[in-house]
C-alpha cells in the first residue's frame, strides 16, 4: 500500500446533521440519504460507475457525449457559468502527449462551501464524472485541487480515490479497454486566488498562485504546458447523471438557459445554514424557506446571491427573483457560484463592506497595479469612514477607484473586488451617508 | 535532516507527478514538514529544496505566498479563526473576543507558555458551519459557541 493515505472512507463521512432534505432535488448529492454516503459500496448501490463502464466498454464516441452535455444546458458551476459542452469542444482532439484534467475544489470566496459537501459526502460521483470527462477529452492524468482549509475532507476524498482505484475504476486499461486514467488529490494552503483556474494550474506546478495571461487558455497551455480542461467540482459531478438520463432530461429539470439542479450554499442570518440542492429556477422565497427563513424572527434586509463577486440585492430586488442565471440577472445581480449570503435588518452594510474590502485587498496576488493599489485604497477609504473620519466625497472616490480596477486586470479578481463596492453604495447609499455625517452606524448606533 | 516519515510522505506525493516535475510536490512537502516540526524555519526550507532538487528561492516563494505556512513559531496549537462575512454575520467577533480574553493574546501572538497562537483567517470554505476555527491547520471545529470553545481549549493539553 502507498504511504500517506487511508483506504477506508466509512468512518468519517457521516450523514450531515444540519441539512433538511425536504424540498430538495438531490442529484450531485444523491448519496445524502444513505447511511455511509461517501463509501464506494453506497455509490455502486445507487447505480454508480455504470455510465463510465458503459461508455468505455461500448466505445461511445466522444462527440456523442459532448452533444449530450451541450443539450443538457449545463453551465460551469464555478461562478462564470460558461457552457460545459462548449468548453469540452475546445480541447484539441489529437495531441501527441499527455493531456490533463483538472477539478477546481478551491472554493474560498466568502459564502461558498458547496463543493466541500460533494467531496465528503459523494466523492465517487465526482470521480466518475472526471473519468467520463477524461475518456471524452483523451486526458490521461487528472488532479483535484482542494482548498487547504478543509483538510478532513481532503482525506476523505483521497481515500475514495484509493477505493476507486482498487476496484478498477481508475488506473490502467479500465474494463479491459485501452483507456487509462490516473486521478490524484492535491491541495492549496491558504490563497483564495488559486481558485482562478490559471493560478490554480501554477499552484499545481508548485509555484505561487499568480494568474497567467489568457490567451493562451488552459485548453492549449495548461498543467505543465499541456492541453488541460478545468471544471468546477459540481460541474463534473453532474456528468454521470446527464449520461444516465440524457442531456434533455437534465435541461428539463431547470429553466431555459439554466439546466439541471444547483447547489446553493446558504449562510448568514437564516435559521438553518447549509447546502440546498434544488432545481434551477426555484423562487427565492421558496429557497429561503428551505433554509428556515430569516433567523430570530427578524426581517430580510439584503442578499448577496452568488458570492461577493455578485452584486448585493435589497430585499425588494430579490423577493420575486428566481434562482437561475436569467432570473438573477433580470433582478439586477447574478448567480455566480450560488453562494447566497443572507443579511437581516440588524446588519450594518458599511461594516460588512469594510470586511469584504479587506478580503480582496488581502487576497490580491499583486501582479496588476490597478488591483494591488486599488483594493488597498478602497479598504483604507472605507476604514476611514468606519472610523468616523469619512467625507462625503469618499463615496464618489470609492466608485471611481472601483471603476478603474474593473476590466483592467489580468484576472477577474479585480472585477470581483469592485462589484461589492459599487453595488453596496448604489443600493444602500443613505446608510453610507449617515455613517459619514454622524460618524457612526445608522443600524447599530456604534 | 528530514525524518524518515516525512520522506516517505513526500515520496508518496511525488508519485502524483511526472518524474521530472519534482517542484510540483513543494506544496505538500512544506505541509508535511511543517506538520512535523510545527513551523518552517529557514533550515527546513533548505532541506525541502535539497530533497526536491529545486532552488531554495522557489521554495521560499511558495512558503511566503500561501497563508497556512508559518515562517515563525506558532506555539503548540495554532488556532485560526475565520472572521470573513458569513462568519461575521454569525458573530465570530464574540468568539474572537472570548479567545483573546481567555488566552490573553491578540492576533499573531503566542501565549507566554508557548502553547497557543491566535490567527485571523480568511474564508475557509465552510461558512455553513459558522462561526468556526481550525487547530493546527487540519482540524476544523464548526458551529462555535463560547462554551464549545472552552471545551476545545480544555482538550488541547
Ligand atoms: C478570483 C477567482 C476565484 C475563483 N474561485 C473559484 C473556485 O473557488 N472554484 C471554482 O470552481 N472556480 C473558481 N473561479 C473560476 C475559475 O477560474 C474557472 O472559471 C472555473 O473553475 C471553471 O469551471 P466551470 O466552467 O466548471 O465553472 C474563480 C475565478 C476567479 C477569478
Ligand atoms: S487582478 Fe488582482 S489577483 Fe488577478 S492577477 Fe491581477 S493583481 Fe492578481
Ligand atoms: S466566511 Fe468564514 S468560512 Fe467562509
Amino acid at each position: 500500500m502507498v504511504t500517506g493515505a487511508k483506504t477506508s472512507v466509512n468512518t468519517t463521512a457521516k450523514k450531515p446533521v444540519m441539512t433538511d432534505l425536504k424540498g430538495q432535488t438531490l442529484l450531485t448529492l444523491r448519496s445524502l440519504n444513505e447511511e455511509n454516503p461517501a463509501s464506494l459500496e453506497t455509490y455502486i448501490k445507487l447505480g454508480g460507475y455504470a455510465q463510465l463502464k458503459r461508455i468505455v466498454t461500448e466505445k461511445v464516441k466522444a462527440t456523442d457525449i459532448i452533444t449530450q452535455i451541450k443539450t443538457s444546458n449545463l453551465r460551469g458551476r464555478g461562478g462564470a457559468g460558461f457552457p460545459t459542452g462548449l468548453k469540452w469542444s475546445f480541447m484539441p482532439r489529437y495531441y501527441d502527449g499527455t493531456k490533463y484534467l483538472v477539478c477546481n475544489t478551491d472554493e474560498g470566496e466568502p459564502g461558498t462551501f458547496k463543493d466541500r459537501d460533494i467531496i465528503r459526502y459523494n466523492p465517487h460521483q465526482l470521480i466518475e464524472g472526471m473519468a467520463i470527462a477524461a475518456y471524452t477529452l483523451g486526458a490521461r492524468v487528472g488532479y483535484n485541487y482542494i482548498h487547504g482549509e478543509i483538510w478532513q475532507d481532503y482525506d476523505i476524498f483521497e481515500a475514495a480515490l484509493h477505493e476507486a482505484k482498487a476496484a478498477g475504476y481508475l488506473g490502467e486499461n479500465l474494463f479491459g479497454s485501452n483507456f487509462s486514467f490516473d486521478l490524484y488529490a492535491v491541495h492549496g494552503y491558504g490563497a483564495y486566488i488559486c481558485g482562478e483556474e490559471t493560478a490554480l494550474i501554477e499552484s499545481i506546478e508548485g509555484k505561487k498562485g499568480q494568474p497567467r495571461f489568457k490567451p493562451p487558455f488552459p485548453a492549449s497551455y495548461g498543467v505543465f504546458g499541456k492541453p488541460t480542461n478545468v471544471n468546477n467540482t459540481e460541474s463534473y459531478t453532474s456528468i454521470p447523471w446527464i449520461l444516465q438520463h440524457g442531456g434533455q432530461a437534465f435541461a428539463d429539470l431547470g429553466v431555459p438557459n439554466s439546466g439541471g439542479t444547483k447547489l446553493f450554499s446558504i449562510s448568514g442570518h437564516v435559521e438553518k445554514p447549509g447546502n440546498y440542492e434544488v432545481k434551477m429556477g426555484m423562487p427565492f422565497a421558496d429557497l429561503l424557506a428551505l433554509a428556515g427563513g430569516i433567523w430570530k424572527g427578524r426581517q430580510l434586509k439584503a442578499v448577496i446571491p452568488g458570492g461577493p463577486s455578485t452584486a448585493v440585492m435589497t430585499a425588494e430586488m430579490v423577493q420575486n427573483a428566481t434562482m437561475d442565471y436569467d432570473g438573477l440577472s433580470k433582478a439586477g445581480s447574478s448567480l455566480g457560484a450560488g453562494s447566497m449570503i443572507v443579511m437581516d435588518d440588524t446588519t450594518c452594510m458599511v461594516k460588512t463592506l469594510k470586511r469584504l474590502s479587506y478580503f480582496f485587498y488581502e487576497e490580491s496576488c499583486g501582479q496588476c497595479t490597478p488591483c494591488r493599489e486599488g483594493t488597498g485604497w478602497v479598504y483604507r477609504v472605507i476604514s476611514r469612514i468606519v472610523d468616523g473620519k469619512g467625507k462625503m466625497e469618499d463615496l464618489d472616490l470609492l466608485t471611481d477607484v472601483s471603476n478603474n480596477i474593473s476590466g483592467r486586470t489580468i484576472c477577474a479578481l479585480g472585477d470581483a473586488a469592485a462589484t461589492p463596492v459599487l453595488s453596496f453604495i448604489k443600493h444602500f447609499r443613505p446608510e453610507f451617508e449617515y455613517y459619514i455625517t454622524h460618524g457612526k452606524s445608522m443600524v447599530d448606533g456604534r | 535532516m528530514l525524518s524518515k516519515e516525512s520522506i516517505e510522505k513526500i515520496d508518496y506525493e511525488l508519485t502524483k507527478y511526472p518524474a521530472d516535475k519534482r517542484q510540483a510536490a513543494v506544496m505538500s512537502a512544506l505541509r508535511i514538514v511543517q506538520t512535523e516540526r510545527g513551523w518552517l524555519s529557514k533550515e527546513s526550507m533548505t532541506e525541502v529544496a535539497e530533497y526536491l532538487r529545486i532552488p531554495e528561492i522557489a521554495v521560499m516563494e511558495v512558503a511566503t505566498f500561501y497563508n497556512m505556512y508559518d515562517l515563525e513559531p506558532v506555539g503548540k496549537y495554532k488556532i485560526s479563526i475565520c472572521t470573513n462575512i458569513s462568519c461575521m454575520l454569525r458573530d465570530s467577533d464574540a468568539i474572537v473576543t472570548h479567545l483573546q480574553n481567555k488566552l490573553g493574546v491578540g492576533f499573531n501572538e503566542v501565549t507566554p507558555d508557548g502553547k497557543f497562537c491566535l490567527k485571523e483567517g480568511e474564508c475557509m470554505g465552510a461558512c455553513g458551519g459558522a462561526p468556526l476555527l481550525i487547530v493546527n491547520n487540519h482540524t476544523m471545529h464548526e458551529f462555535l459557541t463560547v462554551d464549545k470553545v472552552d471545551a476545545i481549549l480544555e482538550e488541547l493539553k
Side-chain angles (χ1 to χ4, degrees):
Chain A
M1 200 204 109
V2 265
T3 332
K6 293 174 269 169
T7 44
S8 165
V9 287
N10 295 342
T11 45
T12 30
K14 286 275 149 47
K15 275 174 95 154
V17 279
M18 284 304 291
T19 312
D20 185 349
L21 301 180
K22 259 203 325 277
Q24 299 194 49
T25 305
L26 299 178
L27 190 159
T28 62
L29 288 180
R30 70 170 143 169
S31 61
L32 219 51
N33 261 321
E34 307 293 320
E35 208 39 56
N36 275 316
S39 76
L40 177 63
E41 209 186 328
T42 300
Y43 189 57
I44 301 276
K45 194 182 88 189
L46 296 172
Y49 290 110
Q51 297 309 311
L52 176 65
K53 185 170 179 184
R54 176 176 68 84
I55 59 165
V56 173
T57 53
E58 294 177 11
K59 299 195 168 62
V60 174
K61 285 217 298 280
T63 45
D64 291 346
I65 296 172
I66 293 182
T67 303
Q68 288 299 322
I69 311 295
K70 284 184 174 162
T71 308
S72 77
N73 262 339
L74 171 64
R75 294 171 60 172
R77 302 297 195 229
F82 193 82
T84 305
L86 188 59
K87 180 183 278 187
W88 285 17
S89 65
F90 294 155
M91 273 289 267
R93 192 83 76 71
Y94 304 102
Y95 179 80
D96 224 9
T98 309
K99 288 189 263 183
Y100 286 90
L101 197 71
V102 168
C103 176
N104 188 341
T105 309
D106 195 39
E107 53 188 1
E109 180 160 310
T112 314
F113 51 93
K114 63 190 180 65
D115 300 332
R116 172 193 196 203
D117 275 2
I118 292 178
I119 64 165
R120 68 174 165 167
Y121 296 134
N122 198 13
H124 285 288
Q125 191 167 327
L126 170 60
I127 296 169
E128 184 179 12
M130 288 190 75
I132 292 169
Y135 169 88
T136 310
L137 302 173
R140 177 68 181 79
V141 178
Y143 297 108
N144 184 14
Y145 185 96
I146 298 172
H147 197 54
E149 280 88 342
I150 48 168
W151 193 258
Q152 288 135 309
D153 308 319
Y154 177 94
D155 277 344
I156 293 173
F157 183 76
E158 188 157 59
L161 286 176
H162 288 287
E163 254 189 333
K165 181 159 188 174
Y169 299 120
L170 289 173
E172 308 237 329
N173 301 106
L174 299 179
F175 312 107
S177 73
N178 56 14
F179 168 61
S180 304
F181 178 55
D182 291 316
L183 178 56
Y184 304 105
V186 296
H187 64 82
Y189 227 51
Y192 162 63
I193 190 57
C194 289
E196 196 282 332
E197 58 188 13
T198 58
L200 186 150
I201 288 170
E202 289 282 304
S203 187
I204 291 177
E205 294 179 358
K207 301 173 188 155
K208 49 186 180 172
Q210 289 191 321
R212 299 173 178 172
F213 278 101
K214 291 192 272 195
F217 288 92
S220 50
Y221 192 88
V223 177
F224 305 127
K226 310 283 188 196
T228 301
N229 180 73
V230 185
N231 271 124
N232 171 259
T233 319
E234 190 185 349
S235 309
Y236 284 124
T237 308
S238 303
I239 301 295
W241 196 97
I242 294 174
L243 289 200
Q244 183 183 349
H245 301 272
Q248 193 57 48
F250 189 84
D252 290 344
L253 281 177
V255 291
N257 266 328
S258 308
T261 56
K262 178 80 194 80
L263 262 176
F264 286 96
S265 303
I266 307 183
S267 66
H269 294 155
V270 293
E271 285 290 349
K272 293 184 290 181
N275 284 312
Y276 294 86
E277 182 165 26
V278 300
K279 293 175 185 166
M280 281 279 195
M282 178 179 261
F284 165 78
D286 294 359
L287 185 57
L288 183 64
L290 282 186
I294 306 296
W295 72 348
K296 302 181 178 176
R298 293 184 189 154
Q299 295 299 310
L300 173 66
K301 175 171 184 174
V303 171
I304 296 176
S309 59
T310 66
V312 69
M313 303 168 84
T314 61
E316 205 168 62
M317 288 165 74
V318 75
Q319 64 190 358
N320 294 318
T322 57
M323 302 304 284
D324 57 275
Y325 292 100
D326 293 353
L328 283 167
S329 78
K330 253 189 285 169
S333 186
S334 42
L335 182 71
S339 325
M340 187 167 122
I341 305 171
V342 178
M343 290 165 261
D344 71 19
D345 50 359
T346 67
T347 312
C348 171
M349 300 310 277
V350 185
K351 287 175 189 154
T352 305
L353 182 60
K354 178 184 165 189
R355 184 63 186 88
L356 273 181
S357 314
Y358 179 75
F359 169 69
F360 286 111
Y361 161 62
E362 159 73 27
E363 298 296 326
S364 163
C365 85
Q367 274 189 109
C368 324
T369 312
C371 173
R372 185 184 64 237
E373 301 299 324
T375 52
W377 197 354
V378 162
Y379 174 62
R380 286 193 303 277
V381 174
I382 300 175
S383 299
R384 183 159 86 199
I385 296 176
V386 170
D387 291 343
K389 299 187 190 112
K391 299 189 280 282
M392 217 40 97
E393 306 88 86
D394 285 348
L395 295 182
D396 290 336
L397 177 63
L398 286 170
T399 309
D400 272 359
V401 175
S402 299
N403 279 328
N404 277 310
I405 305 176
S406 217
R408 287 163 198 251
T409 54
I410 295 176
C411 90
L413 184 135
D415 306 310
T419 302
V421 183
L422 297 172
S423 61
F424 271 62
I425 293 179
K426 182 169 171 203
H427 298 308
F428 296 94
R429 194 172 181 105
E431 220 178 288
F432 284 82
E433 290 173 350
Y434 183 100
Y435 214 123
I436 291 169
T437 320
H438 297 80
K440 62 182 183 186
S441 167
M442 184 166 120
V443 184
D444 60 21
R446 277 177 281 130
Chain B
M1 266 240 313
L2 297 177
S3 70
K4 191 166 152 286
E5 293 75 35
S6 284
I7 286 180
E8 264 178 26
K9 287 184 182 152
I10 296 172
D11 285 346
Y12 165 67
E13 297 298 329
L14 282 166
T15 63
K16 299 177 179 178
Y17 310 102
D20 62 339
K21 306 289 183 200
R22 294 175 67 91
Q23 175 165 356
V26 69
M27 295 280 292
S28 39
L30 288 172
R31 184 245 314 154
I32 289 161
V33 174
Q34 172 167 298
T35 305
E36 186 179 276
R37 297 180 178 174
W39 65 290
L40 294 170
S41 64
K42 179 96 184 22
E43 293 70 41
S44 294
M45 289 189 269
T46 307
E47 289 169 49
V48 167
E50 280 168 1
Y51 191 69
L52 294 180
R53 292 178 235 133
I54 59 175
E56 236 169 277
I57 180 73
V59 176
M60 301 276 281
E61 273 188 8
V62 166
T64 51
F65 187 84
Y66 297 87
N67 290 340
M68 289 166 72
Y69 297 117
D70 296 303
L71 308 186
E72 277 163 40
V74 287
K76 192 167 172 199
Y77 299 109
K78 178 177 79 162
I79 299 180
S80 318
I81 174 156
C82 173
T83 58
N84 214 315
I85 63 168
S86 294
C87 288
M88 178 179 136
L89 292 172
R90 296 188 84 91
D91 213 4
S92 53
D93 283 356
I95 306 294
V96 171
T97 309
H98 180 69
L99 275 167
Q100 289 183 334
N101 289 340
K102 183 140 182 172
L103 301 176
V105 291
F107 281 130
N108 301 318
E109 291 172 6
V110 185
T111 55
D113 62 0
K115 220 172 130 180
F116 295 104
C117 174
L118 210 53
K119 294 263 176 189
E120 182 169 29
E122 288 302 335
C123 178
M124 294 163 178
C127 337
L132 52 95
L133 60 77
I134 300 181
V135 179
N136 288 346
N137 288 340
H138 295 161
T139 310
M140 184 179 282
H141 298 275
E142 301 173 73
F143 305 107
L144 295 176
T145 58
V146 164
D147 288 346
K148 201 160 167 188
V149 169
D150 287 343
I152 294 164
L153 292 179
E154 197 55 39
E155 294 266 299
L156 301 175
K157 291 287 176 237

